[in-house]
Amino acid sequence: MDLVPALQELLRQPLKSVLGPATAKVMAEHLGLHTVGDLLHHYPRRYEERGQLTHLADLPMDEHVTVVAMVADARLHTFASARAPRGKGQRLEVTITDGSGRLQLVFFGNGVHKPHKELLPGTRAMFAGKVSVFNRRLQLAHPAYELLRGDSEETVETWAGALIPIYPATAKMESWKIGKALQTVLPSAGEAVDPLPPALREGRGLSTLPEALLKIHRPHTKQDIEDARRRLKWDEAFVLQVALARRRHADAQLPAVARRPRPDGLLTAFDARLPFTLTEGQRKVSGEIFGDLAREHPMHRLLQGEVGSGKTMVALRAMLAVVDAGGQAAMLAPTEVLAQQHHRSVVEMMGELAEGGMLGGAEHATKVVVLTGSMGTAARRQAMLDLATGEAGIVIGTHALIEDKVQFHDLGLVVVDEQHRFGVEQRDALRGKGRQPPHLLVMTATPIPRTVAMTVFGDLETSVLDQLPAGRSPIASHVVPAADKPHFLARAWERVREEVGNGHQAYVVCPRIGDDADEPAGPGKSGKKASPEDEAEKRPPLAVVDVAAQLAAGPLQGLRVEVLHGRMHPDDKDAVMRRFAAGETDVLVATTVIEVGVNVPNATAMVIMDADRFGVSQLHQLRGRVGRGSAPGLCLLVTEMPRASAARGRLDAVAATLDGFELSRIDLEQRREGDVLGQAQSGARSSLRVLAVIEDEEVIAEARQEAAQVVAADPELTNLPGLRTALDALVDEEREQYLEKG
């Protein structure tokens, strides 16, 4: 047993003691690599075969690339310049080829001597640099290069077929320097302690960890790479799933009060006054939730539902069931606008059932209070008193609910809305307010593919609502290319006027507020090139304040236009929302504060300005604010991006489907997982290196099953020291990331 820590020490060695301080400093600062173990787990992004090389024809602009190619010709030119007036300036132009295309390399001044001697026609080398355009041709200026010399023993065939690992690199540390550093530490790979239980590894025919590390960094065949990646994916999936399984196991040991609704109590009274019947999906999910609430261990359930699928109704019925059983329920919302909105709609749905302790309140009624950070002292004190005495059965609030001062009489259920805005720690802080751990229901309108749910919310059971309630209307979505076809934009404003003329209302969404000179401009501040795409990128994102003024004075003149954004005083925000909900405003020009939960059935049209500045899932969320009544919805995505751009492709995808699960897959494929999984889960997921949550669905699902069995048999992992070490490393990383964010 004592062998494990001793072996681990080798991998914990700081890089500076092995590679020297200068290299170690660059690796730490630019690549986040600090120890021998970190470097061993810095895997190649891809491999080049010396014989068949990167397609020079497909090089991406402005990216740092590594190519393997052969010098076709090299020419030294002299020229006159300010620095070398007598024609003594020197420029070396080298053309390299890989069979698919040619690429120009340029060296200037004193930098020409070494390459002039070394880069002779026929020489093969690796070149790294940033791709730029000069005279309409791609070029690398002053690339770093490494000659590839076949050793005399190597035959040309084996040399040309060798696989060259290309590492994620930076301008300060080229791929081959990382490769050389790895050759130095690779012998330590033999000491890597295997986290997988031997039975699991052998049962699945996976290589050992030392073997996998050798194969991924120094493969002889493509099969080696395949074997290594298969094994390393299992490591990542399995260690992560064990962490989640242990969390589930620990939660399942906690006691909780079983909450069963009374047969003729508040829930029955509420259901009796509903003007509609619940959908099949709502009934099924409610059944799962009531089953969990009746147990003596805390429920941990994730409720996923498309925008407008009726999640709030399901959550409210769960809250009423708990109040029926003598407990209290708290709903945590990410913004004040949303907390106020939920409070209004809950009180509306409950009617006299929400008037507990008041004249005219129904027999089973309870009190529903709201608690946010900006409430006045008196109102806040009253709300806190109602919670402490148990007078209020339901509270809806923002982060203010988590504060130490807030005490509950008997907290039985916590509902978290829009989970991706809250970390695990915040969930736990609110759960800590019950005398025993309360039940937990987490809701999200961002559809999450099954594997992401297993990876990010693996400590929760999942329920999905995928039908829309009766009476919801379809939403037509169209891309409006403002730069290519300005008359389309003019038509968009006419459509808004038509909707208002028919008695409806509209949203106009902008990416920025615009009352602040310090707000950052959009991406592309470099000011180098001016393709139409860059021009659209460089312009600062459109701002609510400016757009509202232009619309009110121009295309929407005569309509009642109001503004809503996050920097307004909460009372003003609430007043604007109330006027809009009451139909006193025709057009609301807003930032994404309306993204979640705002419910105005009479709003039928939405125009999203600079739609390319929003993510796919966010656009889908925003679009869900219209078409909530019986009239059909219309969503117009305005963009200046040119037709062939990736941004336009994303918008076309959003316009083409209303299926949020399909869009979330597109979103994931286009962005790295880390962005999608967000900061919500305090960082652990950024440690995914070879596991891709979309492609590796099977590995994740199988790893989850295996992890559950391992943890059930040995919760403390007493017999699996290697797994415990890997888990400690993951949890440390998670804690470290969380502290950094804190």
Side-chain angles (χ1 to χ4, degrees):
M1 287 290 267
D2 294 332
L3 195 58
V4 170
L7 292 177
Q8 283 306 113
E9 281 316 305
L10 269 169
L11 298 189
R12 287 207 189 107
Q13 260 183 303
L15 285 172
K16 61 172 175 278
S17 62
V18 189
L19 302 176
T23 307
K25 185 168 187 255
V26 176
M27 287 198 164
E29 284 175 10
H30 294 274
L31 295 165
L33 306 174
H34 304 277
T35 64
V36 168
D38 290 345
L39 182 54
L40 285 173
H41 288 294
H42 186 71
Y43 308 132
R45 178 175 285 155
R46 58 190 170 80
Y47 300 84
E48 289 294 6
E49 287 178 78
R50 287 168 173 159
Q52 44 167 44
L53 309 168
T54 338
H55 286 313
L56 291 181
D58 314 332
L59 287 182
M61 273 302 299
D62 262 359
E63 272 193 30
H64 206 83
V65 298
T66 303
V67 296
V68 180
M70 187 173 82
V71 176
D73 65 50
R75 296 207 179 103
L76 191 61
H77 302 276
T78 52
F79 60 90
S81 70
R83 280 202 187 148
R86 290 197 300 282
K88 290 282 171 60
Q90 291 191 307
R91 181 174 78 243
L92 175 66
E93 287 179 5
V94 178
T95 307
I96 57 172
T97 177
D98 66 350
S100 78
R102 299 166 85 81
L103 179 66
Q104 184 104 4
L105 314 179
V106 198
F107 300 88
F108 291 103
N110 295 335
V112 304
H113 306 307
K114 184 167 175 268
H116 191 212
K117 282 209 296 279
E118 295 182 334
L119 297 178
L120 305 170
T123 309
R124 284 173 180 269
M126 273 199 278
F127 302 92
K130 198 170 185 189
V131 184
S132 56
V133 168
F134 182 72
N135 279 346
R136 297 196 167 171
R137 287 165 66 190
L138 291 184
Q139 69 165 27
L140 296 182
H142 280 285
Y145 63 88
E146 175 86 340
L147 300 179
L148 298 173
R149 298 190 176 89
D151 293 329
S152 48
E153 304 91 83
E154 278 192 304
T155 64
V156 173
E157 276 69 40
T158 58
W159 187 85
L163 294 159
I164 302 170
I166 305 292
Y167 290 93
T170 71
K172 295 267 189 298
M173 175 67 64
E174 290 93 7
S175 170
W176 57 82
K177 288 188 182 158
I178 297 170
K180 281 183 175 160
L182 265 153
Q183 299 303 348
T184 310
V185 301
L186 211 48
S188 316
E191 316 302 339
V193 178
D194 208 318
L196 294 190
L200 185 155
R201 200 190 74 238
E202 288 152 18
R204 293 189 173 271
L206 298 168
S207 356
T208 64
L209 182 56
E211 254 179 276
L213 290 170
L214 284 170
K215 282 180 175 174
I216 200 143
H217 292 299
R218 220 192 246 165
H220 294 299
T221 61
K222 288 186 175 168
Q223 189 56 48
D224 281 355
I225 300 170
E226 199 43 52
D227 293 348
R229 289 182 70 85
R230 225 182 107 226
R231 160 63 215 241
L232 295 167
K233 277 180 182 184
W234 255 94
D235 274 18
E236 284 182 14
F238 182 71
V239 173
L240 187 53
Q241 291 301 336
V242 167
L244 293 165
R246 287 188 72 188
R247 196 181 158 94
R248 284 198 303 275
H249 179 83
D251 284 342
Q253 308 310 307
L254 296 172
V257 180
R259 311 277 179 175
R260 296 183 186 84
R262 293 203 303 275
D264 53 353
L266 184 56
L267 182 62
T268 312
F270 175 76
D271 284 349
R273 49 167 295 151
L274 279 182
F276 50 81
T277 54
L278 298 174
T279 64
E280 184 57 42
Q282 284 175 318
R283 279 203 293 275
K284 178 175 143 282
V285 171
S286 288
E288 292 169 350
I289 292 172
F290 290 152
D292 286 354
L293 289 174
R295 293 203 189 97
E296 295 189 346
H297 296 292
M299 161 170 83
H300 292 110
R301 190 166 282 281
L302 172 68
L303 172 56
Q304 280 185 257
E306 277 288 12
V307 174
S309 56
K311 291 184 302 299
T312 313
M313 174 57 69
V314 169
L316 177 55
R317 292 184 73 241
M319 289 159 77
L320 295 173
V322 168
V323 175
D324 243 355
Q328 291 170 293
M331 183 186 241
L332 187 58
T335 64
E336 297 209 350
V337 168
L338 193 51
Q340 296 286 2
Q341 176 84 31
H342 274 320
H343 180 248
R344 269 203 300 278
S345 57
V346 164
V347 168
E348 229 164 80
M349 286 195 274
M350 287 175 64
E352 72 271 17
L353 295 174
E355 295 168 2
M358 291 156 73
L359 271 172
E363 176 196 353
H364 301 294
T366 185
K367 203 168 181 181
V368 180
V369 299
V370 66
L371 187 64
T372 63
S374 66
M375 279 167 69
T377 319
R380 190 184 171 83
R381 195 176 293 133
Q382 184 57 52
M384 284 168 69
L385 186 65
D386 289 341
L387 288 178
T389 58
E391 185 78 19
I394 293 178
V395 59
I396 296 163
T398 54
H399 287 81
L401 283 177
I402 300 175
E403 289 172 11
D404 294 343
K405 294 194 285 289
V406 181
Q407 298 296 328
F408 288 85
H409 176 65
D410 179 13
L411 181 59
L413 170 67
V414 172
V415 178
V416 179
D417 191 22
E418 285 311 317
Q419 161 62 27
H420 62 283
R421 311 287 181 93
F422 296 102
V424 170
E425 285 73 18
Q426 290 158 315
R427 248 160 56 183
D428 288 352
L430 189 51
R431 277 166 50 187
K433 293 198 173 285
R435 283 183 293 201
Q436 284 196 328
H439 298 281
L440 174 71
L441 178 66
V442 166
M443 299 197 295
T444 177
T446 309
I448 304 166
R450 174 169 154 259
T451 43
V452 182
M454 283 192 289
T455 312
V456 184
F457 303 113
D459 55 336
L460 305 171
E461 300 301 323
T462 307
S463 297
V464 177
L465 272 178
D466 45 15
Q467 305 165 270
L468 291 186
R472 279 294 165 86
S473 309
I475 305 169
S477 306
H478 303 284
V479 177
V480 178
D484 317 353
K485 302 185 175 157
H487 58 286
F488 275 37
L489 184 56
R491 175 73 188 114
W493 301 126
E494 281 171 30
R495 284 290 289 112
V496 169
R497 291 193 86 96
E498 286 164 18
E499 289 297 314
V500 173
N502 292 333
H504 296 302
Q505 292 159 280
Y507 297 101
V508 177
V509 181
C510 305
R512 204 166 62 99
I513 297 172
D515 57 355
D516 185 339
D518 300 333
E519 283 193 72
K525 292 181 276 281
S526 56
K528 276 190 220 138
K529 305 175 297 300
S531 70
E533 188 155 348
D534 280 0
E535 281 304 315
E537 277 283 341
K538 265 205 297 271
R539 170 177 63 63
L542 289 171
V544 167
V545 179
D546 310 339
V547 169
Q550 288 160 15
L551 291 176
L556 302 184
Q557 201 172 4
L559 301 187
R560 295 167 300 177
V561 177
E562 285 213 56
V563 165
L564 179 71
H565 58 73
R567 252 189 258 133
M568 289 164 62
H569 187 279
D571 293 350
D572 297 341
K573 273 194 282 203
D574 203 41
V576 169
M577 271 317 304
R578 278 175 194 277
R579 285 197 292 274
F580 190 65
E584 294 162 22
T585 306
D586 299 320
V587 179
L588 187 61
V589 183
T591 55
T592 53
V593 289
I594 60 147
E595 177 187 349
V596 283
V598 172
N599 184 22
V600 180
N602 191 45
T604 52
M606 175 177 285
V607 181
I608 302 180
M609 307 302 290
D610 279 343
D612 46 272
R613 309 282 176 121
F614 299 97
V616 171
S617 296
Q618 198 174 23
L619 289 169
H620 180 60
Q621 282 277 33
L622 285 164
R623 166 171 67 183
R625 299 298 114 217
V626 295
R628 299 177 77 86
S630 50
L634 171 70
C635 178
L636 301 175
L637 306 166
V638 180
T639 178
E640 292 187 4
M641 284 296 172
R643 188 167 196 145
S645 61
R648 267 288 275 284
R650 281 204 309 274
L651 297 181
D652 291 337
V654 174
T657 178
L658 288 173
D659 179 348
F661 286 92
E662 176 54 32
L663 287 174
S664 67
R665 284 189 87 99
I666 293 170
D667 206 4
L668 260 183
E669 280 158 13
Q670 292 196 337
R671 303 177 357 186
R672 290 199 327 283
E673 277 88 6
D675 309 339
V676 179
L677 309 183
Q679 283 84 41
Q681 297 299 305
S682 66
R685 268 27 97 182
S686 60
S687 57
L688 298 187
R689 295 185 177 93
V690 279
L691 194 68
V693 282
I694 284 287
E695 293 154 36
D696 298 321
E697 190 157 339
E698 277 171 40
V699 176
I700 293 171
E702 289 171 19
R704 183 177 167 130
Q705 283 177 335
E706 295 272 13
Q709 287 166 8
V710 165
V711 171
D714 180 5
E716 293 306 310
L717 308 179
T718 318
N719 304 316
L720 297 167
L723 176 56
R724 221 175 44 232
T725 307
L727 200 61
D728 290 345
L730 177 78
V731 173
D732 276 357
E733 188 168 338
E734 193 171 317
R735 193 167 295 129
E736 206 172 280
Q737 299 248 2
Y738 175 64
L739 291 173
E740 280 171 19
K741 293 201 174 72

